[in-house]
């Protein structure tokens, strides 16, 4: 029973929040406490930060904020980080408010943009703010879904730009995964936006149970008595898991070669293999754990998994479900051009869907992914093999989430999953209103470590770290709208600077601690022969000189490598000095690119790869030649083996040429300095001290601590005003290139600066330079699209074995424009490195041929032939090319180039790209 006072307070709240009462009455379940608190804060006109686990119902707060603004006659924007999530939310809101009242704006789609409710990607809103769009005049609320995306190193800055620049009258509803520093993020929001309520919930409405699936069966991760919802920092693990691990170690020790020792064949035991994928599905099915999402961090592995389950003869659907799946697939895909179905693998994809199994990854075209999402949400598909992109916001809850491994490839190397990534992935498990509990299953695999999983599963939160960095476009727009001085003040308001300033306090305390330690080390190193710290400083200087000499030699080797790589011709035999590429290689496809040559080579082991400067830390030497057959095919394993055998048979005849040396004068000067330091050391009185090495150990500790102090002091100096320093360096480059010019104490935009204000791309400066210098002026529509693709495309590892096709040849009109684009990129990249700014992404020609062919009207099969580019990637990159072409159409300095861009857009936007 409630008291009269409580009932009176509740009636006051209902009167004040009338539309909230209506909203909750329409729901089939009561609001959780955090949802109730957040919605009341929205109704009271506050900005709100909601941090809660995946699947807890955060989006319901955003949906109420949209409804509240709609009832008040105000516009509302619902922003998301990815187009798929925008499309899903657009359909949800259209059903609730009617198609005429809801709009959609993404990079390549514009539907009803003047509606009172508009769903958009966050970049679109950022662009509207900089353009001063009148659409923002009636904007009452902006929902920033997945706001923790501001930690993304490539796109995260956009979220902070929106938060900082939105008008103060607009409320922000920020929806985040549970992060450990939500209060810090909320404090920054209050500083930037004013009154902001921070509401944090770590409660999952559907409890999550972690398991491990071994060949012997499926086991709970935690020991009996441990609460999976609150396991504590060091939870006890299931003793049965340890028993299985002991048996495995015993079997390993009895295996040929013993535990961890090589067998006679030279190979090390590989540990226990993972259960077959069809067996995993069978266990999940028998245990009642379907539907499941199985996360595999590889597109090819997702497709392989579907094939393996199908080849095992598994069918997870009933006859009625198969008929329904077939009907939906036929209905949704009716508009696909018949000539593209073969390239898309339509028949195989449809058959797998009817069996209840599907893949979901970025290599699929958007329509195929949407169909998979629809069928899975409807309970028709039982198992989806997905890459981690599925974990980002898309509403596809499952009863179980399965992780095949606890490591993933991040584009540079394999790394362990973080606690945040584990939480985000497993958060999909447990369907509210359907499942009593969700299940997170990790499959045993080589290198599996149960304690590591225990640590991951017990940590439910992770810190939100800003990745904010001023871009060229941001710098230009800030100068145009605010002026240089005010722009610096605004940049100091970023969350990145806020976090840096907060860290300075702790760092200053650390400096004081190190200074006290230094005094103790100096006293312990005292010597009665003389000033030992002076002697130690000479030893430290000698150490630095030796390292500098090594760097000089390394730089000389690298410069020689670049020149040698670009000059190589077909048939040259090269010796790579060291590293993972060490050994003899034969050039089968040269590359004369003077900036970043990457010739295709076959190794003496019969492997094929592209040789890049970044891999030649130990230099390389041309040591001879070998005859390459005219019809040699590097993709043919037999051809590679034959060439490798030739290299092996002639290895003794390849006399290693003496490595080219660097600048002799520089090396001699370095050696002279080193000799002088050695002389001073020998003549110092402490050199003859019998306790010299004992003193030296204390002195080494002193200098190690001194380096630590210098490092922390440097961090403090960089943290203080660090963001505005990057802004100033960007402005220096923009001034040098003619985009801004001094006007007294201020800066004015030139005509090129006004042009660049409307170029939004990660490589915005390279696109602007190509337009400013006329590098693309002579291109036709197809060639312009291909040139744009070179600036946007980020090659995958599969591209390394493919020589990029340049229509018209490397010295044709397009080839010349591409080389000029590389030269422009290189010039800006050098300017950035001189100012200690991160390097720019280099142009990549891997998509040039396919985009050019597609713009000429060729079919999808034809343009993707002899490439490793997936149809979904082709569609995605084409849409990004269209986005940039649309910008070029708006800002290009010549009418002819603007017309060419418009023609290119029409040529690309067809077939599956337009669908």
């Amino acid at each position: 029973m409630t008291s009269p006072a409580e009932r009176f307070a509740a009636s006051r709240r209902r009167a004040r929040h009338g539309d909230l009462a209506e909203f909750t009455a329409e729901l089939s379940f009561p609001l959780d406490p955090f949802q109730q608190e957040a919605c009341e804060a929205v109704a009271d006109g506050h900005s709100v930060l909601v941090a809660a686990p995946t699947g807890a119902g955060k989006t319901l707060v955003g949906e109420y904020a949209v409804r509240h603004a709609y009832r008040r006659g105000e516009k509302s924007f619902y922003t998301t980080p990815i187009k798929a999530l925008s499309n899903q939310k657009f359909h949800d809101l259209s059903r609730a408010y009617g198609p005429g009242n809801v709009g959609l704006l993404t990079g390549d789609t514009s539907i009803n943009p003047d509606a009172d409710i508009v769903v958009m990607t966050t970049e679109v809103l950022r662009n509207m703010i900089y353009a001063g769009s009148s659409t923002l005049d009636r904007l009452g609320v902006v929902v920033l879904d997945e706001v923790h995306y501001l930690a993304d190193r490539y796109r995260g800055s956009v979220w902070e730009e929106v938060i900082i620049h939105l008008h103060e009258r607009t409320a922000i509803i920020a929806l985040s995964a549970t992060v450990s520093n939500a209060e810090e993020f909320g404090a920054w929001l209050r500083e930037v936006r004013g009154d902001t309520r921070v509401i944090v919930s770590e409660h999952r409405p559907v409890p999550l149970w972690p398991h491990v699936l071994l060949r012997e069966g499926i086991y709970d991760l935690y020991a009996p008595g441990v609460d999976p919802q609150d396991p504590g920092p060091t939870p006890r693990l299931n003793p049965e898991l340890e028993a299985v691990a002991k048996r495995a170690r015993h079997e390993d020790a009895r295996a040929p070669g013993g535990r961890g020792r090589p067998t006679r064949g030279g190979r090390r035991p590989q540990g226990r293999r993972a259960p077959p994928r069809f067996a995993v599905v069978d266990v999940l099915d028998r245990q009642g754990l379907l539907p499941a999402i199985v996360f595999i961090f590889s597109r090819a592995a997702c497709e392989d998994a579907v094939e393996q389950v199908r080849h095992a003869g598994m069918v997870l659907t009933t006859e009625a479900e198969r008929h329904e799946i077939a009907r939906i697939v036929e209905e949704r895909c009716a508009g696909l051009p018949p000539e593209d179905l073969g390239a898309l693998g339509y028949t195989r994809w449809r058959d797998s869907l009817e069996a209840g199994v599907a893949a979901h990854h970025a290599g699929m075209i958007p329509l195929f992914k949407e169909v998979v999402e629809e069928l899975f949400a409807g309970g028709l598909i039982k198992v989806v093999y997905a890459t981690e992109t599925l974990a980002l916001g898309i509403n596809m809850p499952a009863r179980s989430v399965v992780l095949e491994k606890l490591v993933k490839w991040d584009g540079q190397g394999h790394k362990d999953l973080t606690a945040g990534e584990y939480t985000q992935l497993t958060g999909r498990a447990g369907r509210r209103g359907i499942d009593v509990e969700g299940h997170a299953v990790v499959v045993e695999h080589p290198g599996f470590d149960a304690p590591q999983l225990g640590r991951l599963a017990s940590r439910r939160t992770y810190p939100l770290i800003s990745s904010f960095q001023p871009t060229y476009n941001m710098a230009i727009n800030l100068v145009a709208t605010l002026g240089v001085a005010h722009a610096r003040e605004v940049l100091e308001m970023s969350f990145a600077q806020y976090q840096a300033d907060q860290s300075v306090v702790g760092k200053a305390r650390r400096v004081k601690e190190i200074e006290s330690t230094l005094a103790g080390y100096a006293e312990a190193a005292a010597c009665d022969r003389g000033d030992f710290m002076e002697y130690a400083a000479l030893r430290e200087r000698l150490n630095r000189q030796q390292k500098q000499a090594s760097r000089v030699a390394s730089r000389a080797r690298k410069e020689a490598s670049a020149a040698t790589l670009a000059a190589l011709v077909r048939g040259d035999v090269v010796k790579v000095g060291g590293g993972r590429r060490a050994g003899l290689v034969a050039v089968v496809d040269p590359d004369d690119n003077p900036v970043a040559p990457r010739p295709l080579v076959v190794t003496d082991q019969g492997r094929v790869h592209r040789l890049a400067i970044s891999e030649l830390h130990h230099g390389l030497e041309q040591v001879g030649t070998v005859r390459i057959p005219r019809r040699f095919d590097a993709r043919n394993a037999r051809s590679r083996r034959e060439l490798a055998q030739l290299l092996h048979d002639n290895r003794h005849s390849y006399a290693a040429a003496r490595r080219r040396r660097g600048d002799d004068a520089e090396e001699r000067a370095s050696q002279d300095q080193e000799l002088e330091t050695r002389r001073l050391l020998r003549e110092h009185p402490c050199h003859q001290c019998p306790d010299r090495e004992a003193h030296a150990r204390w002195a080494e500790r002193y200098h190690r601590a001194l380096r630590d102090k210098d490092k922390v002091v440097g961090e403090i100096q960089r943290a203080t005003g660090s963001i505005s320093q990057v802004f100033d360096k960007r402005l220096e480059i923009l001034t040098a290139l003619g985009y801004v010019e001094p006007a007294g104490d201020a800066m004015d935009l030139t005509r090129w600066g006004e042009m660049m204000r409307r170029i939004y791309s990660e490589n915005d400066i390279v696109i602007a330079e190509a337009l400013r210098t006329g590098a693309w002026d002579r291109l036709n529509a197809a060639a312009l699209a291909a040139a744009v693709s070179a600036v946007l495309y980020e090659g995958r590892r599969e591209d390394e074995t493919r020589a990029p096709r340049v229509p018209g040849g490397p010295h044709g009109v397009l080839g010349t424009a591409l080389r000029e684009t590389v030269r422009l990129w290189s010039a800006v990249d050098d300017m950035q490195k001189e100012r200690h700014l991160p390097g720019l992404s280099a142009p990549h020609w891997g998509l040039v041929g396919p985009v050019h062919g597609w713009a000429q009207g060729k079919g999808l099969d034809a343009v993707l032939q002899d490439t490793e580019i997936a149809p979904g990637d082709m569609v995605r990159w084409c849409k990004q090319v269209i986005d940039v072409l649309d910008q070029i159409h708006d800002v290009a300095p010549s009418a002819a180039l603007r017309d060419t861009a418009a023609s290119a857009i029409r040529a690309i936007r067809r077939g599956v790209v337009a669908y």
Side-chain angles (χ1 to χ4, degrees):
M1 291 290 292
T2 57
S3 68
E6 289 171 330
R7 289 196 296 274
F8 176 72
S11 68
R12 289 282 301 272
R13 281 198 303 274
R14 285 194 296 273
R16 193 168 70 249
H17 307 144
D19 64 336
L20 177 55
E22 294 175 18
F23 180 73
T24 54
E26 295 169 6
L27 299 174
S28 58
F29 53 87
L31 293 179
D32 287 340
F34 87 90
Q35 294 171 324
Q36 182 73 39
E37 184 183 355
C39 288
E40 288 180 0
V42 170
D44 289 337
H46 302 291
S47 288
V48 180
L49 166 64
V50 182
T54 301
K58 297 184 294 290
T59 54
L60 189 142
V61 179
E63 290 165 4
Y64 170 67
V66 167
R67 176 173 179 143
H68 186 64
Y70 185 73
R71 288 292 181 87
R72 290 161 56 92
E74 297 175 335
K75 290 180 73 73
S76 59
F77 288 172
Y78 196 110
T79 74
T80 74
I82 56 175
K83 292 177 184 177
L85 190 52
S86 291
N87 292 334
Q88 191 175 72
K89 188 54 65 176
F90 168 69
H91 293 304
D92 291 346
L93 292 174
S94 294
R95 283 193 295 270
Y97 296 93
N101 294 315
V102 183
L104 175 67
L105 287 173
T106 62
D108 58 349
T109 305
S110 177
I111 301 173
N112 201 11
D114 296 321
D116 284 338
I117 302 168
V118 184
V119 182
M120 62 184 68
T121 49
T122 316
E123 279 85 353
V124 171
L125 176 54
R126 185 272 312 272
N127 300 351
M128 291 172 70
I129 292 171
Y130 282 149
S133 172
S134 59
T135 309
L136 305 175
D137 293 344
R138 284 179 45 240
L139 186 58
V141 66
V142 168
V143 179
L144 295 176
D145 203 352
E146 308 282 344
V147 73
H148 52 271
Y149 212 83
L150 67 77
D152 182 79
R153 59 178 173 168
Y154 297 115
R155 298 172 54 211
S157 296
V158 175
W159 275 256
E160 294 191 45
E161 289 179 81
V162 166
I163 291 168
I164 292 170
H165 296 302
L166 265 178
H167 197 282
E168 60 185 14
R169 68 170 173 269
T170 302
I172 286 180
I173 312 303
L175 309 178
S176 170
T178 310
V179 291
S180 57
N181 59 337
E183 292 297 338
E184 179 190 39
F185 185 45
W188 172 71
L189 284 172
R190 277 191 288 270
E191 194 167 293
V192 174
R193 303 293 309 171
D195 183 29
T196 302
R197 297 290 176 85
V198 178
I199 295 159
V200 179
S201 172
E202 295 186 20
H203 172 71
R204 279 183 55 95
V206 180
L208 181 68
W209 290 80
H211 310 280
V212 179
L213 199 156
L214 311 176
R215 282 178 169 267
E216 290 79 0
I218 189 167
Y219 297 85
D220 290 340
L221 172 64
Y222 296 130
V226 175
D227 181 2
Q229 311 317 308
D230 187 18
T234 55
R236 289 182 300 111
L237 299 183
N238 188 344
E240 291 185 77
L241 286 176
E242 180 57 27
V244 172
K246 280 182 179 177
R247 283 200 300 272
R249 288 195 293 270
H250 180 66
E251 292 166 6
D252 192 18
R254 294 177 59 189
R259 180 177 159 191
R261 292 191 293 274
T263 61
R264 181 174 295 179
R267 292 179 298 185
R268 291 184 176 275
Q270 296 299 304
R272 286 163 57 89
R273 290 178 300 156
R277 284 167 172 149
F278 65 84
V280 171
V281 174
D282 187 50
V283 170
L284 294 173
D285 192 18
R286 283 189 284 106
Q287 295 286 335
L289 299 180
L290 297 181
I293 299 172
V294 184
F295 283 109
I296 308 178
F297 304 114
S298 160
R299 301 176 183 183
C302 287
E303 296 292 347
D304 288 345
V306 172
E307 289 299 308
Q308 288 167 25
V309 172
R310 294 290 293 118
H311 285 159
M314 299 193 78
V315 176
L316 304 173
T317 51
T318 64
E319 187 174 349
E321 287 173 331
R322 289 193 289 277
H323 284 305
E324 180 64 7
I325 290 169
R327 183 191 66 77
I328 292 172
V329 170
E330 188 174 334
E331 183 180 293
R332 291 294 307 274
C333 299
L336 283 176
E339 63 272 17
D340 291 336
L341 295 181
L344 296 172
Y346 172 80
T347 302
R348 188 178 72 249
W349 172 73
R350 183 198 60 202
D351 291 347
S352 297
L353 294 182
E354 290 183 14
V357 186
H360 187 289
H361 55 76
M364 298 166 62
I365 64 169
L367 175 63
F368 279 16
K369 288 192 290 185
E370 288 171 15
V371 171
V372 170
E373 291 160 14
E374 180 181 339
L375 294 175
F376 191 81
L380 295 170
I381 288 181
K382 314 304 179 182
V383 178
V384 170
Y385 291 96
T387 55
E388 63 181 320
T389 52
L390 182 61
L392 218 172
I394 298 172
N395 185 27
M396 273 183 66
R399 178 167 296 165
S400 305
V401 164
V402 181
L403 303 183
E404 277 207 346
K405 291 183 179 178
L406 295 177
V407 295
K408 69 169 187 174
W409 175 265
D410 68 350
Q412 298 172 340
H414 288 94
K415 69 180 191 68
D416 292 338
L417 287 184
T418 65
E421 289 165 337
Y422 176 86
T423 301
Q424 188 83 355
L425 294 168
T426 58
R428 297 267 157 237
R431 298 164 296 176
R432 189 168 191 176
I434 301 175
D435 299 321
V436 176
E437 57 194 24
H439 301 270
V441 182
V442 174
V443 180
E444 181 187 27
H445 53 273
F448 171 72
D449 180 33
Q452 177 200 7
L453 175 58
R455 290 189 293 272
L456 279 177
S458 62
R459 286 186 59 199
R460 299 298 171 80
T461 63
Y462 52 97
L464 184 62
I465 307 297
S466 171
S467 61
F468 183 83
Q469 283 287 315
T471 64
Y472 289 104
N473 175 274
M474 188 193 306
I476 282 279
N477 275 292
L478 287 174
V479 170
T481 56
L482 303 174
V484 175
H486 192 195
R488 287 196 191 97
E489 293 174 7
V490 167
L491 290 171
E492 296 295 336
M493 295 167 61
S494 68
F495 187 44
Q497 190 61 59
Y498 183 86
Q499 288 188 310
D501 292 343
Q502 296 295 307
S503 71
V504 165
V505 178
K507 286 183 170 67
R509 190 182 306 116
R510 174 69 179 144
V511 168
K512 287 186 178 180
E513 292 171 357
I514 295 174
E515 286 173 345
S516 174
T517 302
L518 285 170
Y521 287 162
E523 184 178 343
C527 176
D528 57 6
R529 298 288 183 98
D531 186 349
F532 197 87
M533 296 311 295
E534 181 182 73
Y535 178 76
L538 287 171
R539 288 172 64 134
E540 186 77 8
R541 185 199 301 175
L542 178 63
N543 186 37
R544 287 198 304 270
Q545 288 170 343
Q546 289 170 334
K547 288 180 179 177
Q548 175 63 19
S550 175
R551 282 193 292 268
V552 168
S554 175
R555 186 171 66 247
R557 282 197 301 269
K558 186 174 180 181
E559 289 168 357
S561 299
T564 308
L565 266 186
L568 292 174
V569 297
R570 183 180 171 91
D572 279 345
V573 177
V574 173
K575 181 180 179 183
V576 180
R580 68 190 182 101
R581 303 294 198 194
L584 291 173
V585 300
V587 178
V588 295
D589 186 13
D591 182 0
D592 62 357
N593 184 326
V595 179
R598 297 175 73 242
L600 190 71
V601 299
V602 171
T603 72
D604 51 8
Q605 302 296 315
R607 298 189 181 94
V608 62
H609 62 82
R610 290 197 170 273
L611 202 57
I613 295 171
S614 60
E615 299 171 323
L616 302 177
H617 304 296
H618 301 274
L620 83 164
E621 310 157 299
Q622 184 187 349
V623 295
T625 60
V626 66
R627 184 179 172 277
I628 308 289
R630 187 195 301 181
R631 297 184 180 277
F632 180 84
D633 184 357
R635 291 169 294 173
N636 185 290
R638 180 177 177 181
S639 299
R640 295 200 305 269
R641 284 196 301 270
E642 290 173 351
L643 182 55
Q645 189 63 48
L646 271 177
L647 291 175
H648 179 77
D649 292 346
N650 295 300
R651 65 189 184 282
H652 297 301
S653 65
Y654 296 130
R658 185 169 176 267
R659 281 197 181 96
R660 292 181 57 188
R661 298 180 62 82
D663 182 79
D664 289 338
E666 187 176 5
E667 286 197 27
R668 280 198 302 273
S670 177
Q671 290 168 359
D672 290 345
Q673 291 173 357
E674 190 176 322
L675 288 171
E676 174 62 14
T677 304
R678 290 184 183 278
R679 183 188 66 77
L680 292 172
L681 272 171
R682 286 193 301 270
E683 293 176 359
H684 196 283
C686 292
H687 192 66
Q688 304 302 326
C689 177
D691 298 323
R692 182 184 69 190
E693 292 311 308
H695 297 320
R697 282 193 289 274
W698 285 108
E700 285 170 9
R701 292 172 186 166
Y702 176 92
H703 281 284
R704 200 179 303 127
L706 186 62
R707 285 193 295 272
D708 289 344
K709 178 192 169 184
D710 291 342
K711 180 183 176 183
V712 176
V713 169
E715 289 172 354
I716 291 173
Q717 291 171 344
R718 287 191 296 274
T720 307
S722 55
I723 303 300
S724 59
Q725 288 170 20
V726 173
F727 169 73
D728 289 339
K729 290 174 182 178
R730 301 266 190 224
L731 273 188
E732 286 177 21
I733 294 173
L734 289 168
T735 303
L737 294 175
Y739 292 92
V740 296
E741 57 188 10
D745 294 334
M747 286 276 189
D748 285 343
L749 268 60
T750 65
R751 60 179 286 229
W752 304 115
E754 291 292 346
M755 175 192 75
M756 192 176 175
R757 284 192 68 184
R758 296 158 68 189
I759 298 175
Y760 303 101
S761 172
E762 192 176 330
N763 253 343
D764 49 11
I765 187 69
V766 179
I767 295 169
E769 280 293 273
L771 298 179
R772 183 181 69 84
T773 62
W776 296 345
D777 284 358
R778 295 179 55 216
L779 300 176
N780 61 23
L784 178 61
V788 169
S789 80
V791 180
L792 300 180
Y793 184 55
E794 297 167 4
R796 293 171 57 80
R797 281 185 295 168
E798 293 90 325
D799 297 325
E800 292 190 4
T801 60
R802 303 283 179 176
R805 290 195 333 266
V806 179
H811 302 292
V813 176
L814 176 55
T816 302
L818 289 172
R819 285 202 310 279
E820 179 61 15
T821 303
V822 171
R823 189 193 66 78
L824 294 170
W825 159 78
S826 180
V828 178
D829 194 52
D830 288 344
M831 296 173 80
Q832 293 205 159
K833 288 175 180 174
E834 287 169 9
R835 292 163 176 81
H836 305 290
L837 291 171
L840 281 174
S841 297
H844 196 297
W845 300 5
L847 202 67
V848 165
V851 167
H852 188 273
W854 183 256
Q856 286 184 318
K858 294 180 181 177
L860 193 62
D861 253 335
V863 301
L864 297 182
Q865 188 175 7
D866 296 328
T867 75
E868 296 292 339
I869 298 168
D873 284 331
M874 181 66 185
V875 171
R876 180 166 56 90
W877 287 113
C878 279
K879 290 187 175 186
Q880 291 191 33
V881 168
I882 289 171
D883 190 23
V884 171
L885 286 170
D886 199 34
Q887 296 170 29
I888 293 173
H889 174 254
D890 289 341
V891 303
S894 71
L897 188 56
R898 291 196 293 272
D899 290 343
T900 303
S903 298
I905 292 171
R906 289 193 295 272
I908 296 177
R909 190 178 277 148
R910 64 180 182 84
V912 290
V913 175
Y915 195 80

